[in-house]
């Protein structure tokens, strides 16, 4: 017979076991007896409606600490509604039904939409606690109408961050339970049960594939190495084809893209009918998120990473790789190359060209628009020179500094907000291939590349030339993009092109891209306390602390800016790898979005915009800059604040035409302040003060 000690030890062991829940059917009965919907219970448990349904049909079990909270709730209900006295009919035991992502069952549908709303609504940014309300209450109709529409196919948002314990953290604070232990199981769960994905951004486009971001612990649990080591560039690292996980994927009849299983992996099956079968994976410990574009994100908790990526996905696009890749993909998502058109002969719907897009086929550039290694250049033996439309990197000659300027105490740096994005607004670019012309008459409305001689133009040495990236005077004939020549004409100079490569079909291809990114930038800044209605003094104060207010939103803002610059840079992506030889093609050339002429147009317009402001500042204030680097300019100043030298009218309003402070693209913010002595010392050494005005080793990105 067991002793008292042995019995107590046995009982204590039971007490230490994980909390036990009633059977799934009893869980449903108790909830219904209490008059609570699955959606409202999901809010209380800070999970999704689908997860609650899984609890009640036996497909999954909660994990700690949700397990203890759920058990406490069920115990309370069991005391109130014991089975033998409950007036509610017992919940029937229903065999688990396969879930189709995005479909609703029974009366839960309206409630599911309410739970999913934070994924799309701005309220998701603050991740608020949801107030409890009675099961019969409904929000006022006006409030419900004001909420953004939620696609019922994707109730849980665009993406989730999967941790090693099976918790998948989504946007809006949702947590899903993911039972997958292999990559194929994860793909199946994502497509069939997770409710993840995002609706297309254009009526002719495609829905965004769901994204699963793996923490290091989740990667190891799925059989992946914690780190992906190798001597190649980070972007080319991938698992070998004989790795067990790659074999699992192949055996399960899934496919990987040609890039293989790397930091960003795309796993798919060929489309059947209208439904795409594709899941993206991003492995955090394989450096999927570049620290320069996503500062501090990899050090965050999974729920915070989901918030950062969720806000970016909602405002920009579901990440599809680097921010540069996402920037390029956003262009195509907003301007799809094809649409359904009716065949006049057969009456059938077929794929046709979508007007205003770049189409489906890559386009060969004109020789001066290409890069020296491009097949068009190498095979033709082109020796006629190239477009050199790049961002400014100019330092003023110290000999041109006046005594008055040298005695000013400060050097103040101003940075234009997303200057390339501002340049993309209403930018007309070529949509067709280039045609060659000799001695054409210049037309500022036609996008293209023009050979012209601007060496005769007299320039003030205290300002950079608007025609060259280094600000030097042109030495002879050179190739220019339309905006550069148009500006020379605006300044009153004769323009007589020698030859040109022009495009007959044109359009504002980048307009929707500009609009979406501008809204993302402005809205994110506003959420950080920097709004359009602030005075200049209030704006400067808000910008001093906006990053500290919310590091997650600061990371979103950095990613938006990187998306702009990286997307523009990708339009002329150069070959990668040591084995490349001049004249060979490279993967980027197969894209319709390999368009160096569009990149040149954006940068040309941005540089011209900068020079126009510099010129207007001279007219309004008599001030000349010390240096310019891309979208940053440094001025000598009588005080540490730019308010000491920016032009204002007698009414106190900023003068149009010069630099103006504000949170929208094209307006300026304070970049940094140093002493004038510091700036002159750098200039004498041939270094650019604009590169270091922030302090430390701050470097401006030139956009590619």
């Amino acid at each position: 017979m067991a002793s008292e000690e042995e019995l107590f030890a046995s009982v204590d062991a039971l007490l230490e076991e994980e909390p036990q829940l009633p059977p799934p059917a009893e869980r449903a009965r108790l909830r219904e007896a209490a008059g609570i919907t699955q959606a409202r219970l999901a809010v209380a448990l800070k999970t999704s409606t689908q997860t609650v349904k899984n609890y009640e049909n036996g497909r999954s079990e909660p994990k700690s600490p949700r397990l203890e909270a759920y058990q406490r709730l069920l115990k309370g209900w069991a005391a109130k509604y014991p089975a033998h006295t409950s007036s509610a009919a017992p919940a029937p035991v229903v065999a688990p039904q396969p879930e189709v992502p995005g479909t609703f069952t029974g009366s839960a549908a309206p409630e599911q939409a309410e739970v999913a709303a934070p994924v799309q609504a701005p309220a998701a940014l603050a991740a608020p606690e949801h107030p409890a309300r009675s099961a019969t209450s409904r929000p006022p109709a006006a409030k419900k109408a004001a909420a953004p529409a939620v696609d019922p196919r994707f109730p849980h948002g665009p993406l989730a961050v999967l941790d090693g314990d099976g918790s998948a953290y989504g946007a809006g604070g949702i947590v899903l339970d993911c039972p997958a232990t292999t990559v194929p199981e994860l793909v199946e769960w994502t497509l069939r049960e997770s409710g993840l994905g995002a609706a297309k951004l254009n009526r002719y486009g495609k829905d965004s594939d769901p994204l699963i971001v793996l923490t290091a612990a989740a990667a190891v649990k799925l059989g992946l190495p914690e780190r992906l080591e190798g001597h190649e560039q980070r972007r080319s690292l991938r698992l070998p084809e004989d790795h067990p996980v790659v074999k699992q994927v192949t055996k399960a009849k899934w496919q990987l893209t040609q890039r293989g299983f790397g930091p960003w992996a795309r796993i798919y099956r060929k489309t059947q009918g209208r439904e795409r079968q594709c899941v993206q994976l991003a492995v955090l410990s394989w450096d999927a998120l570049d620290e320069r574009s996503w500062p501090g994100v990899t050090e965050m908790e999974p729920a915070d990473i989901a918030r950062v990526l969720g806000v970016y996905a909602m405002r920009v696009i579901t990440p599809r790789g680097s921010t540069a890749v996402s920037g390029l993909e956003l262009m195509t998502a907003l301007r799809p190359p094809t649409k359904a058109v009716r065949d006049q002969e057969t009456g059938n719907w077929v794929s046709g060209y979508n007007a205003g897009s770049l189409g489906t086929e890559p386009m060969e550039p004109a020789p001066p628009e290409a890069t020296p290694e491009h097949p068009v250049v190498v095979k033709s033996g082109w020796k006629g020179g190239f477009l050199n439309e790049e961002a400014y990197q100019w330092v003023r000659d110290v000999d041109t500094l006046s005594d008055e300027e040298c005695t000013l105490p400060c050097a103040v740096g101003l940075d234009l907000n997303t200057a390339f994005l501002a340049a993309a607004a209403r930018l007309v670019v070529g949509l067709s291939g280039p045609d060659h012309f000799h001695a054409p008459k210049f037309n500022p409305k036609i996008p293209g590349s023009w050979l012209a001689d601007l060496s005769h133009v007299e320039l003030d040495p205290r300002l950079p030339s608007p025609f060259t990236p280094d600000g030097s005077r042109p030495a002879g004939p050179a190739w220019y993009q339309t905006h550069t020549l148009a500006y020379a004409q605006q300044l009153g100079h004769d323009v007589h092109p020698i030859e040109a490569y022009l495009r007959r079909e044109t359009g504002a291809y980048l307009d929707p891209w500009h609009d979406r990114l501008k809204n993302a930038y402005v809205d994110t800044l506003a959420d950080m306390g920097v709004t359009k209605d602030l005075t200049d003094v209030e704006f400067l104060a808000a910008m001093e602390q906006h990053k500290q207010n919310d590091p997650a939103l600061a990371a979103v803002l950095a990613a938006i800016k990187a998306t702009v610059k990286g997307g523009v840079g990708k339009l002329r992506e150069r070959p990668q790898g040591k084995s490349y030889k001049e004249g060979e093609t490279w993967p980027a050339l197969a894209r319709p979005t390999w368009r160096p002429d569009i990149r040149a147009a954006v940068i040309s317009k941005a540089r011209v915009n900068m020079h126009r402001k510099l010129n207007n500042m001279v007219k309004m204030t008599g001030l000349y800059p010390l240096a310019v680097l891309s979208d940053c300019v440094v001025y000598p100043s009588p005080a540490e604040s730019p308010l000491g030298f920016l032009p204002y009218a007698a009414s106190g309003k900023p003068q149009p035409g010069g630099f103006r402070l504000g949170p929208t693209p094209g307006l300026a913010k304070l970049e940094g302040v140093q002493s004038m002595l510091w700036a002159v010392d750098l200039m004498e050494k041939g270094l650019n003060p604009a590169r270091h005005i922030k302090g430390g080793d701050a470097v401006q990105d030139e956009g590619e």
Side-chain angles (χ1 to χ4, degrees), residues 436-440 450-453 476-479 485 495-500:
H436 193 197
F437 297 88
H438 289 281
W450 311 76
L451 181 64
D453 190 350
W479 288 95
L485 273 196
V495 173
H496 301 290
I498 301 165
E499 61 177 305

Side-chain angles (χ1 to χ4, degrees), residues 115-348:
V115 175
V119 177
Q120 301 291 338
L125 306 181
E129 293 293 326
H130 296 269
R133 66 172 187 263
S134 68
T136 56
S137 70
R138 289 290 182 269
K143 284 189 179 179
K144 198 157 191 174
V150 176
D151 194 312
R153 297 169 301 155
F154 311 117
H156 301 143
L159 54 87
V161 179
L162 181 63
D163 207 358
D165 64 356
S167 297
Y169 299 85
I174 283 175
V175 185
L176 307 173
D177 288 324
C178 175
T181 57
T182 67
V183 169
E185 287 176 3
L186 175 60
V187 173
E188 297 278 358
W189 173 83
T190 303
L191 292 174
R192 287 165 177 73
E193 297 182 37
S194 71
L196 296 173
K200 56 194 175 188
L201 298 179
N202 180 287
R203 60 183 295 196
Y204 302 124
K206 298 175 182 176
D207 295 332
S208 284
D209 299 319
L211 168 64
I212 302 293
V213 180
L214 304 179
T215 65
V220 171
K221 179 183 176 181
L222 295 170
L224 298 167
E226 184 173 342
R227 301 291 306 176
L228 195 57
E229 304 293 347
H231 299 293
E232 305 92 344
Q233 291 180 323
R234 181 185 66 83
R235 57 179 290 154
S236 62
L237 289 175
R238 64 197 65 179
L239 290 179
E241 291 185 7
D242 60 353
H243 190 278
V245 170
V246 177
K247 288 183 176 180
Q248 285 175 0
V249 170
T250 306
K251 187 176 180 182
K253 297 185 178 178
W254 290 98
Q255 293 178 270
L256 290 161
T257 59
Q258 289 185 343
R259 296 192 67 174
F261 205 126
W264 288 88
R266 193 180 290 268
I267 301 175
Y268 71 99
R269 282 182 184 147
K270 288 186 178 178
T271 304
Q272 296 178 346
R274 292 186 176 184
E275 295 299 320
R276 283 165 61 84
Q277 297 187 84
C278 184
V279 173
Q280 290 189 118
L281 300 181
V283 188
L284 290 174
S285 57
W286 294 3
D287 299 325
L289 298 181
D290 192 312
E291 175 67 19
R292 293 168 296 180
S293 302
W294 302 94
V297 174
T298 54
E299 304 302 318
M300 294 179 181
E301 293 298 319
D304 294 321
I305 297 174
R307 180 180 170 225
V308 170
L309 297 178
V311 173
Y312 178 89
M314 178 183 73
R315 292 186 169 168
V316 181
I317 193 172
T318 303
R320 304 184 181 189
S322 68
T323 47
V325 168
S326 297
L328 201 64
E329 291 283 344
L330 181 63
M331 294 179 196
T332 305
L334 293 167
R335 291 275 200 192
T338 61
K339 66 177 181 179
V341 295
R342 191 181 291 277
D343 188 307
Q344 296 299 322
E345 293 183 4
T346 65
N348 296 330

